[in-house]
């Protein structure tokens, strides 16, 4: 099904990897994927649609049976996408995990790839190819700079084991398909890195809050 159709193309062959943003729990030097390599895996998912637009769409996942040392461990994952935005926001809350646990969003490694990363700006990106039919694709994860780690390569992935803040992690994912831009546009690694850098500056910026002078209520 990785062929172009009337609606487009599934331009990422995930196989037994994290794909774009799939999670792995790290407890010390042990890794526990919050995903199944095939349909027979032990990890369980409960899912539901919270809202479906037009301004925002949201899907919630409850993931269990990924940490054998505590069968009650769970991860609540909220996935959001906004109108006219290509990136998706992911919020994860871990419960019952080990002390000092890390959560690692992953990007599948490509046979031909170039990596662009800036931990101080909060992004990690890949630009490359899986096969000739799909052509060039880009993958990106945006993580707050104070949580953005060095990548670990394992099991076909680039993984980013992030420390949690109050048991939670918030990150963004974005993908790009060069052929989808049309013949007049030929994005390359430099353009992809600039796009990730611009987007990271936007999503990691704290929105200012200001309180004005309260007005007295008018009696009817």
């Amino acid at each position: 099904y990785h062929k172009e159709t009337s609606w487009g193309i599934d331009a990422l062959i995930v196989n037994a990897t994290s794909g774009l943003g799939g999670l792995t729990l790290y407890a010390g030097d042990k890794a526990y994927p919050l995903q199944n390599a095939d349909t027979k895996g032990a990890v369980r998912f409960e899912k539901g649609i919270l809202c479906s637009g037009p301004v925002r769409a949201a899907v919630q996942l409850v993931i269990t049976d990924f940490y054998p040392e505590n069968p009650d461990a769970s991860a609540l994952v909220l996935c959001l996408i906004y109108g006219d935005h290509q990136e998706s926001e992911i919020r994860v809350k871990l419960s019952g995990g080990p002390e000092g646990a890390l959560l690692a969003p992953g990007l599948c490694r490509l046979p031909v790839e170039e990596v662009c990363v800036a931990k101080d700006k909060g992004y990690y990106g890949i630009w490359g190819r899986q096969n000739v039919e799909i052509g060039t694709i880009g993958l990106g994860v945006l993580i707050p700079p104070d949580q953005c780690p060095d990548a670990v390569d394992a099991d076909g992935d680039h993984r980013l084991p992030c420390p949690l803040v109050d048991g939670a992690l918030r990150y963004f994912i974005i993908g790009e398909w060069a052929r989808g831009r049309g013949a007049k546009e030929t994005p390359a690694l430099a353009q992809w890195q600039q796009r990730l850098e611009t987007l990271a500056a936007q999503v990691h910026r704290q929105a200012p809050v200001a309180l004005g002078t309260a007005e007295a209520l008018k009696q009817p």
Side-chain angles (χ1 to χ4, degrees), residues 154-191:
D155 300 330
D157 286 335
H158 301 286
R159 295 178 184 167
L160 300 162
C162 302
L164 306 181
V165 176
D166 296 327
L169 175 66
R170 177 175 176 260
Y171 62 99
F172 291 77
I173 59 175
I174 185 170
E176 178 64 275
W177 178 40
R179 280 178 52 197
R181 291 286 174 177
K184 294 183 179 180
E185 296 189 48
T186 55
L189 176 66
Q191 286 76 25

Side-chain angles (χ1 to χ4, degrees), residues 79-217:
C79 309
L80 306 117
I81 191 164
Y82 302 88
D84 298 323
H85 284 253
Q86 191 170 339
E87 75 278 3
S88 295
E89 179 183 358
I90 313 293
R91 304 177 189 175
V92 189
K93 180 71 174 181
L94 180 67
S95 299
E99 189 72 23
L102 306 174
L103 278 176
L107 297 172
C108 68
R109 285 186 283 173
L110 306 179
V112 179
E113 67 177 18
E114 297 177 276
V115 174
C116 55
V117 57
K119 294 197 306 179
D120 60 327
K121 296 180 180 179
Y123 68 84
Y124 190 99
I126 297 172
W127 187 256
R129 286 184 311 177
Q130 282 185 317
N131 61 32
V132 174
E133 289 79 15
I134 291 174
T136 306
I137 58 175
L139 307 175
V141 174
L142 313 173
I143 298 169
D146 58 349
Q147 291 176 272
C148 195
D150 293 322
V152 174
D153 288 347
D155 300 330
D157 286 335
H158 301 286
R159 295 178 184 167
L160 300 162
C162 302
L164 306 181
V165 176
D166 296 327
L169 175 66
R170 177 175 176 260
Y171 62 99
F172 291 77
I173 59 175
I174 185 170
E176 178 64 275
W177 178 40
R179 280 178 52 197
R181 291 286 174 177
K184 294 183 179 180
E185 296 189 48
T186 55
L189 176 66
Q191 286 76 25
W192 182 235
Q193 182 168 4
Q194 183 58 55
R195 187 171 179 193
L196 293 178
E197 189 163 316
T198 300
L199 183 58
Q202 295 172 347
V203 301
H204 298 325
R205 183 177 58 204
Q206 294 296 324
V209 177
L211 297 177
T213 303
E215 296 182 6
L217 293 176

Side-chain angles (χ1 to χ4, degrees), residues 15-17 35-43 45:
N15 292 326
T17 72
Q35 52 195 285
N36 292 317
D38 54 48
T39 57
K40 300 177 182 179
V43 181
F45 299 85

Side-chain angles (χ1 to χ4, degrees), residues 49-100:
I49 297 173
L50 300 184
C51 60
S52 56
V55 175
R56 179 180 67 174
V59 174
Q60 179 174 280
L61 306 173
V62 178
I63 308 176
T64 55
D65 293 343
F66 56 85
Y67 184 53
E69 285 78 353
N70 181 6
D72 294 327
S74 65
L76 178 65
V77 183
L78 181 62
C79 309
L80 306 117
I81 191 164
Y82 302 88
D84 298 323
H85 284 253
Q86 191 170 339
E87 75 278 3
S88 295
E89 179 183 358
I90 313 293
R91 304 177 189 175
V92 189
K93 180 71 174 181
L94 180 67
S95 299
E99 189 72 23

